[in-house]
PDB file of all heavy atoms in Angstrom:
ATOM      1  N   MET A   1       0.852  -1.242   0.007  1.00  0.00           N
ATOM      2  CA  MET A   1       0.017   0.004  -0.030  1.00  0.00           C
ATOM      3  C   MET A   1       0.851   1.201   0.001  1.00  0.00           C
ATOM      4  O   MET A   1       2.001   1.291   0.550  1.00  0.00           O
ATOM      5  CB  MET A   1      -0.915   0.033   1.198  1.00  0.00           C
ATOM      6  CG  MET A   1      -1.976   1.176   1.151  1.00  0.00           C
ATOM      7  SD  MET A   1      -2.982   1.240   2.701  1.00  0.00           S
ATOM      8  CE  MET A   1      -1.714   1.749   3.850  1.00  0.00           C
ATOM      9  N   THR A   8      -8.426  12.147   5.853  1.00  0.00           N
ATOM     10  CA  THR A   8      -9.131  11.819   7.110  1.00  0.00           C
ATOM     11  C   THR A   8     -10.663  12.067   6.965  1.00  0.00           C
ATOM     12  O   THR A   8     -11.420  11.625   7.825  1.00  0.00           O
ATOM     13  CB  THR A   8      -8.602  12.755   8.208  1.00  0.00           C
ATOM     14  OG1 THR A   8      -8.790  14.151   7.786  1.00  0.00           O
ATOM     15  CG2 THR A   8      -7.182  12.476   8.479  1.00  0.00           C
ATOM     16  N   LEU A  33     -15.396   9.110  -8.949  1.00  0.00           N
ATOM     17  CA  LEU A  33     -15.766   9.822  -7.785  1.00  0.00           C
ATOM     18  C   LEU A  33     -17.142   9.212  -7.212  1.00  0.00           C
ATOM     19  O   LEU A  33     -17.267   9.052  -6.040  1.00  0.00           O
ATOM     20  CB  LEU A  33     -15.991  11.245  -8.132  1.00  0.00           C
ATOM     21  CG  LEU A  33     -14.717  12.047  -8.451  1.00  0.00           C
ATOM     22  CD1 LEU A  33     -15.087  13.497  -8.823  1.00  0.00           C
ATOM     23  CD2 LEU A  33     -13.761  12.102  -7.170  1.00  0.00           C
ATOM     24  N   TYR A  34     -18.105   8.938  -8.033  1.00  0.00           N
ATOM     25  CA  TYR A  34     -19.318   8.353  -7.617  1.00  0.00           C
ATOM     26  C   TYR A  34     -19.157   7.004  -6.947  1.00  0.00           C
ATOM     27  O   TYR A  34     -19.730   6.738  -5.852  1.00  0.00           O
ATOM     28  CB  TYR A  34     -20.309   8.196  -8.778  1.00  0.00           C
ATOM     29  CG  TYR A  34     -21.708   7.692  -8.392  1.00  0.00           C
ATOM     30  CD1 TYR A  34     -22.671   8.644  -8.001  1.00  0.00           C
ATOM     31  CD2 TYR A  34     -21.943   6.273  -8.368  1.00  0.00           C
ATOM     32  CE1 TYR A  34     -23.951   8.050  -7.614  1.00  0.00           C
ATOM     33  CE2 TYR A  34     -23.186   5.890  -7.909  1.00  0.00           C
ATOM     34  CZ  TYR A  34     -24.197   6.799  -7.561  1.00  0.00           C
ATOM     35  OH  TYR A  34     -25.396   6.287  -7.247  1.00  0.00           O
ATOM     36  N   ASN A  47     -20.164   0.707   9.813  1.00  0.00           N
ATOM     37  CA  ASN A  47     -19.410   0.839  11.053  1.00  0.00           C
ATOM     38  C   ASN A  47     -19.721   2.221  11.694  1.00  0.00           C
ATOM     39  O   ASN A  47     -18.934   3.182  11.769  1.00  0.00           O
ATOM     40  CB  ASN A  47     -17.900   0.895  10.677  1.00  0.00           C
ATOM     41  CG  ASN A  47     -17.457  -0.427   9.974  1.00  0.00           C
ATOM     42  OD1 ASN A  47     -17.109  -1.359  10.635  1.00  0.00           O
ATOM     43  ND2 ASN A  47     -17.499  -0.414   8.627  1.00  0.00           N
ATOM     44  N   THR A  76      -8.251  -0.354 -15.630  1.00  0.00           N
ATOM     45  CA  THR A  76      -9.566  -1.017 -16.003  1.00  0.00           C
ATOM     46  C   THR A  76     -10.117  -0.408 -17.189  1.00  0.00           C
ATOM     47  O   THR A  76     -10.806  -1.100 -17.988  1.00  0.00           O
ATOM     48  CB  THR A  76     -10.471  -0.950 -14.731  1.00  0.00           C
ATOM     49  OG1 THR A  76      -9.807  -1.540 -13.584  1.00  0.00           O
ATOM     50  CG2 THR A  76     -11.789  -1.721 -15.046  1.00  0.00           C
ATOM     51  N   GLN A  81     -12.473  -0.802 -22.558  1.00  0.00           N
ATOM     52  CA  GLN A  81     -12.672  -0.266 -23.882  1.00  0.00           C
ATOM     53  C   GLN A  81     -12.128  -1.214 -24.894  1.00  0.00           C
ATOM     54  O   GLN A  81     -12.634  -1.322 -26.004  1.00  0.00           O
ATOM     55  CB  GLN A  81     -11.973   1.098 -23.924  1.00  0.00           C
ATOM     56  CG  GLN A  81     -12.620   2.176 -23.120  1.00  0.00           C
ATOM     57  CD  GLN A  81     -14.048   2.404 -23.510  1.00  0.00           C
ATOM     58  OE1 GLN A  81     -14.387   2.447 -24.680  1.00  0.00           O
ATOM     59  NE2 GLN A  81     -14.921   2.547 -22.486  1.00  0.00           N
ATOM     60  N   TYR A 125     -36.902  14.272 -26.782  1.00  0.00           N
ATOM     61  CA  TYR A 125     -36.179  15.192 -25.865  1.00  0.00           C
ATOM     62  C   TYR A 125     -36.726  16.589 -26.044  1.00  0.00           C
ATOM     63  O   TYR A 125     -37.029  17.230 -25.015  1.00  0.00           O
ATOM     64  CB  TYR A 125     -34.768  15.177 -26.248  1.00  0.00           C
ATOM     65  CG  TYR A 125     -33.919  14.042 -25.984  1.00  0.00           C
ATOM     66  CD1 TYR A 125     -32.841  13.659 -26.709  1.00  0.00           C
ATOM     67  CD2 TYR A 125     -34.343  13.069 -24.974  1.00  0.00           C
ATOM     68  CE1 TYR A 125     -32.075  12.491 -26.447  1.00  0.00           C
ATOM     69  CE2 TYR A 125     -33.603  11.920 -24.700  1.00  0.00           C
ATOM     70  CZ  TYR A 125     -32.501  11.608 -25.493  1.00  0.00           C
ATOM     71  OH  TYR A 125     -31.775  10.502 -25.252  1.00  0.00           O
ATOM     72  N   PRO A 147     -41.948  21.678  -6.370  1.00  0.00           N
ATOM     73  CA  PRO A 147     -41.588  20.241  -6.516  1.00  0.00           C
ATOM     74  C   PRO A 147     -41.595  19.794  -7.924  1.00  0.00           C
ATOM     75  O   PRO A 147     -40.791  18.912  -8.353  1.00  0.00           O
ATOM     76  CB  PRO A 147     -42.498  19.505  -5.606  1.00  0.00           C
ATOM     77  CG  PRO A 147     -43.703  20.329  -5.434  1.00  0.00           C
ATOM     78  CD  PRO A 147     -43.140  21.742  -5.480  1.00  0.00           C
ATOM     79  N   VAL A 149     -40.846  21.528 -10.617  1.00  0.00           N
ATOM     80  CA  VAL A 149     -39.598  22.021 -11.274  1.00  0.00           C
ATOM     81  C   VAL A 149     -38.379  21.142 -10.854  1.00  0.00           C
ATOM     82  O   VAL A 149     -37.511  20.855 -11.647  1.00  0.00           O
ATOM     83  CB  VAL A 149     -39.324  23.484 -10.915  1.00  0.00           C
ATOM     84  CG1 VAL A 149     -37.960  24.009 -11.478  1.00  0.00           C
ATOM     85  CG2 VAL A 149     -40.496  24.438 -11.506  1.00  0.00           C
ATOM     86  N   GLY A 164     -26.244   9.490 -22.931  1.00  0.00           N
ATOM     87  CA  GLY A 164     -24.827   9.270 -22.881  1.00  0.00           C
ATOM     88  C   GLY A 164     -24.519   7.872 -23.145  1.00  0.00           C
ATOM     89  O   GLY A 164     -23.493   7.563 -23.852  1.00  0.00           O
ATOM     90  N   GLU A 168     -22.294   6.531 -26.275  1.00  0.00           N
ATOM     91  CA  GLU A 168     -21.168   5.717 -26.109  1.00  0.00           C
ATOM     92  C   GLU A 168     -21.179   4.433 -26.881  1.00  0.00           C
ATOM     93  O   GLU A 168     -20.157   4.051 -27.544  1.00  0.00           O
ATOM     94  CB  GLU A 168     -20.964   5.420 -24.646  1.00  0.00           C
ATOM     95  CG  GLU A 168     -19.715   4.656 -24.245  1.00  0.00           C
ATOM     96  CD  GLU A 168     -19.464   4.378 -22.754  1.00  0.00           C
ATOM     97  OE1 GLU A 168     -20.280   4.863 -21.998  1.00  0.00           O
ATOM     98  OE2 GLU A 168     -18.430   3.875 -22.455  1.00  0.00           O
ATOM     99  N   PRO A 176     -20.324   9.122 -19.143  1.00  0.00           N
ATOM    100  CA  PRO A 176     -20.458   8.704 -17.762  1.00  0.00           C
ATOM    101  C   PRO A 176     -21.452   7.535 -17.633  1.00  0.00           C
ATOM    102  O   PRO A 176     -22.513   7.453 -18.454  1.00  0.00           O
ATOM    103  CB  PRO A 176     -21.058   9.913 -17.027  1.00  0.00           C
ATOM    104  CG  PRO A 176     -20.618  11.008 -17.858  1.00  0.00           C
ATOM    105  CD  PRO A 176     -20.723  10.624 -19.305  1.00  0.00           C
ATOM    106  N   MET A 211     -31.367  18.632 -30.291  1.00  0.00           N
ATOM    107  CA  MET A 211     -31.548  17.338 -30.914  1.00  0.00           C
ATOM    108  C   MET A 211     -32.657  17.177 -31.895  1.00  0.00           C
ATOM    109  O   MET A 211     -32.604  16.357 -32.766  1.00  0.00           O
ATOM    110  CB  MET A 211     -31.697  16.265 -29.730  1.00  0.00           C
ATOM    111  CG  MET A 211     -30.404  15.730 -29.124  1.00  0.00           C
ATOM    112  SD  MET A 211     -29.330  14.944 -30.329  1.00  0.00           S
ATOM    113  CE  MET A 211     -30.310  13.525 -30.850  1.00  0.00           C
ATOM    114  N   LEU A 212     -33.661  18.061 -31.712  1.00  0.00           N
ATOM    115  CA  LEU A 212     -34.730  18.059 -32.773  1.00  0.00           C
ATOM    116  C   LEU A 212     -34.217  18.499 -34.117  1.00  0.00           C
ATOM    117  O   LEU A 212     -34.356  17.715 -35.031  1.00  0.00           O
ATOM    118  CB  LEU A 212     -35.914  18.837 -32.290  1.00  0.00           C
ATOM    119  CG  LEU A 212     -37.076  18.976 -33.276  1.00  0.00           C
ATOM    120  CD1 LEU A 212     -37.599  17.494 -33.575  1.00  0.00           C
ATOM    121  CD2 LEU A 212     -38.148  19.862 -32.785  1.00  0.00           C
ATOM    122  N   PRO A 236     -30.100  -0.658 -62.347  1.00  0.00           N
ATOM    123  CA  PRO A 236     -29.420  -1.426 -63.384  1.00  0.00           C
ATOM    124  C   PRO A 236     -29.446  -2.918 -63.241  1.00  0.00           C
ATOM    125  O   PRO A 236     -29.592  -3.671 -64.123  1.00  0.00           O
ATOM    126  CB  PRO A 236     -27.972  -0.890 -63.319  1.00  0.00           C
ATOM    127  CG  PRO A 236     -28.072   0.466 -62.692  1.00  0.00           C
ATOM    128  CD  PRO A 236     -29.184   0.295 -61.672  1.00  0.00           C
ATOM    129  N   VAL A 280     -22.757   2.784 -56.041  1.00  0.00           N
ATOM    130  CA  VAL A 280     -21.782   2.048 -55.087  1.00  0.00           C
ATOM    131  C   VAL A 280     -20.907   3.110 -54.440  1.00  0.00           C
ATOM    132  O   VAL A 280     -20.722   3.075 -53.193  1.00  0.00           O
ATOM    133  CB  VAL A 280     -20.959   1.058 -55.882  1.00  0.00           C
ATOM    134  CG1 VAL A 280     -19.816   0.494 -54.925  1.00  0.00           C
ATOM    135  CG2 VAL A 280     -21.817  -0.039 -56.341  1.00  0.00           C
TER     136      VAL A 280
END
Side-chain angles (χ1 to χ4, degrees):
M1 189 184 69
T8 56
L33 291 175
Y34 181 89
N47 298 274
T76 303
Q81 292 301 316
Y125 294 152
V149 173
E168 180 172 5
M211 275 302 294
L212 180 60
V280 173

